[in-house]
Amino acid sequence: MTAHVATTTRARARTGGPQEDGPKILEHLMGWVLVAVTAMLVTQLGLL
């Protein structure tokens, strides 16, 4: 195994997504806020 292959398999490329060790409660709360805002938008537009 060459040095290049060894370094590329260990270090994963970051794509700007959420970190694995971030605050899970904040992510969960923001998901529910998105659901509530979407529900309010749907009802205001009369789509439901």
Side-chain angles (χ1 to χ4, degrees), residues 1-44:
M1 179 150 64
T2 63
H4 178 68
V5 173
T7 57
T8 56
T9 55
R10 274 191 235 142
R12 292 185 0 201
R14 295 294 300 162
T15 58
Q19 297 176 359
E20 288 86 19
D21 58 352
K24 300 292 182 188
I25 188 71
L26 181 63
E27 184 178 344
H28 192 75
L29 181 64
M30 291 306 292
W32 278 109
V33 168
L34 179 63
V35 167
V37 168
T38 304
M40 287 189 289
L41 179 68
V42 165
T43 56
Q44 286 293 321

